[in-house]
């Protein structure tokens, strides 16, 4: 059997802990046998998991016997790992053990140095902090998981299921993974990436800046066919001056800011109305549905229809 060791450190996030236990536990071979043996390990006898405590039956020594090690996230990712953890993980990696992190568990894996020079992901909210703490790691906040071969990282919460199903498919094929997916009530492949869940705020402009009235006007009139010259005329300045002030006060260009405002309005309409894509394209100033779809996918990471299926209020609720 393939042994999966789930390492629960103090402050472990309950969902991160349970997701791999259940997903690998649901896997079945065509003859009905269980392909995985799941062991929960910890440093001490008891581990805090927020509202309750966990008593793990195995210690760090079980990591040396595992084929796969899972690192769930913890509530406050530490800068340094508890004594013995980094050494045990690096020793397992040297023996070829596959190691995967869930959500902010990427901080734990990165703290070992095993992700240096590699691409990784984590929950999009924590991605900037991961990149700051570990500059040798290339952090990609837009994907559900990253598979580097021996080392894998997944984004927040449900992305743990995506990554575990991906590993099951690599280990035992699509049929076994599809069964585990059905048991999880999850699609084997989800459309889009983590980007579709990120709140794409408009580039900030401090209150009281000279652009504040213009930004409000752009939001109110983003459905119009606006040009750089037209925006500059509304502001009463030259296009060159407009570009300079936008760069200084928002960090982007007038047209890029306008496109982001249009996408934000489109997200709202997709979430709250049943308007067809063609109508939303017009109401958000993109003109053609094709231009709308291309820009939306570029910013959000998925198609308008896929976004609507995921976020339409009340959809899928009975």
């Amino acid at each position: 059997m393939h042994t999966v060791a789930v390492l629960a450190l103090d402050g472990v996030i309950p969902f991160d802990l349970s997701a791999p236990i259940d997903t690998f536990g649901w896997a079945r071979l065509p003859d009905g046998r269980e392909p995985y043996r799941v062991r929960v390990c910890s440093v001490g006898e008891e581990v805090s998991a927020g509202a309750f405590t966990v008593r793990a039956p195995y210690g760090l020594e079980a990591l040396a016997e595992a084929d796969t090690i899972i690192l769930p996230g913890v509530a406050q990712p530490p800068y340094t790992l508890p004594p013995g953890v980094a050494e045990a993980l690096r020793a397992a990696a040297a023996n070829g053990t596959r190691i995967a992190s869930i959500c902010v568990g990427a901080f734990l894996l990165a703290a070992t140095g095993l992700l240096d020079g590699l691409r990784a992901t984590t929950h999009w909210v924590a991605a900037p902090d991961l990149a700051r703490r570990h500059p040798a790691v290339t952090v990609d906040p837009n994907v559900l998981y990253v598979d580097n071969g021996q080392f894998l990282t997944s984004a927040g919460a449900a992305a743990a299921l995506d990554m575990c199903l991906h590993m099951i498919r690599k280990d035992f094929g699509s049929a076994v993974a599809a069964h585990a997916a059905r048991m999880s009530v999850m699609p084997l492949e989800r459309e889009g990436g983590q980007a579709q869940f990120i709140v794409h705020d408009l580039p900030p402009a401090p209150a009281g800046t000279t652009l504040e009235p213009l930004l409000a006007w752009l939001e109110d009139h983003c459905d119009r066919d606006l040009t750089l010259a037209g925006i500059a005329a509304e502001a009463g300045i030259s296009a060159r001056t407009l570009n300079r002030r936008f760069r200084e006060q928002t960090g982007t260009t007038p047209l890029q800011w306008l496109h982001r405002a249009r996408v934000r309005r489109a997200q709202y309409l997709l979430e709250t109305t049943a308007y067809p894509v063609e109508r939303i394209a017009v109401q958000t100033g993109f003109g053609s549905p094709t231009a709308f779809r291309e820009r939306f996918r570029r910013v959000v990471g998925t198609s308008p229809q896929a976004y609507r299926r995921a976020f339409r209020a009340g959809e899928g609720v009975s």
Side-chain angles (χ1 to χ4, degrees):
M1 296 180 73
H2 185 115
T3 300
V4 177
V6 183
L7 179 59
L9 299 182
D10 206 42
V12 67
I13 297 171
F15 183 90
D16 292 7
L17 176 63
S18 62
I21 295 173
D22 281 347
T23 308
F24 287 111
W26 281 322
R28 292 292 184 274
L29 297 176
D31 62 5
R33 287 182 298 123
E34 299 179 9
Y36 293 101
R37 177 193 299 112
V38 182
R39 293 174 172 173
V40 178
C41 314
S42 67
V43 176
E45 291 185 1
E46 287 192 348
V47 176
S48 170
F52 56 91
T53 58
V54 175
R55 184 180 293 274
Y58 297 93
L60 291 180
E61 69 280 356
L63 301 182
E65 303 171 0
D67 301 292
T68 295
I69 297 172
I70 305 292
L71 300 177
V74 295
Q76 298 293 331
Y79 280 83
T80 57
L81 298 176
V85 172
E87 294 78 6
L89 291 172
R90 285 195 287 261
N95 288 329
T97 302
R98 180 173 62 187
I99 305 177
S101 65
I102 294 173
C103 193
V104 292
F107 286 80
L108 308 178
L109 185 51
T112 67
L114 294 172
L115 289 180
D116 287 359
L118 299 178
R119 180 167 157 260
T121 193
T122 187
H123 193 291
W124 62 269
V125 168
D129 191 31
L130 180 64
R132 180 183 58 81
R133 287 200 203 181
H134 301 282
V137 180
T138 301
V139 180
D140 184 351
N142 297 317
V143 293
L144 295 174
Y145 59 85
V146 174
D147 182 353
N148 288 298
Q150 186 179 6
F151 307 116
L152 297 89
T153 53
S154 70
L161 302 178
D162 295 281
M163 182 183 67
C164 291
L165 292 171
H166 169 74
M167 288 190 283
I168 293 171
R169 182 165 56 184
K170 288 185 69 175
D171 293 340
F172 296 103
S174 295
V176 176
H179 171 77
R182 286 193 295 272
M183 294 299 294
S184 306
V185 196
M186 276 280 293
L188 188 54
E189 287 283 353
R190 275 200 289 167
E191 186 174 0
Q194 189 177 192
Q196 65 181 300
F197 303 105
I198 298 174
V199 178
H200 292 277
D201 293 325
L202 296 171
T209 60
T210 57
L211 285 180
E212 190 175 5
L214 179 63
L215 298 182
W217 181 85
L218 283 173
E219 282 197 70
D220 290 339
H221 299 85
C222 67
D223 58 322
R224 296 187 182 180
D225 183 15
L226 298 174
T227 63
L228 180 62
I231 298 171
E234 175 66 26
I237 55 179
S238 68
R240 182 176 179 180
T241 300
L242 179 68
N243 267 323
R244 177 174 55 79
R245 290 185 182 175
F246 255 82
R247 286 289 187 188
E248 292 172 349
Q249 297 182 30
T250 72
T252 188
T253 68
L255 293 181
Q256 286 173 336
W257 197 97
L258 176 62
H259 287 318
R260 185 61 59 84
R262 286 169 168 167
V263 168
R264 286 288 290 162
R265 177 173 290 187
Q267 287 177 301
Y268 174 78
L269 293 174
L270 289 166
E271 293 169 13
T272 60
T273 75
Y275 297 160
V277 167
E278 292 75 13
R279 177 173 175 177
I280 293 176
V282 172
Q283 288 189 306
T284 53
F286 285 102
S288 75
T290 299
F292 168 50
R293 290 187 180 98
E294 289 177 356
R295 177 64 61 172
F296 192 90
R297 182 177 288 278
R298 191 180 310 168
V299 173
V300 183
T302 190
S303 69
Q305 292 290 11
Y307 183 90
R308 168 171 276 164
R309 286 195 297 270
F311 293 99
R312 175 77 185 280
E315 215 169 81
V317 178
S318 59

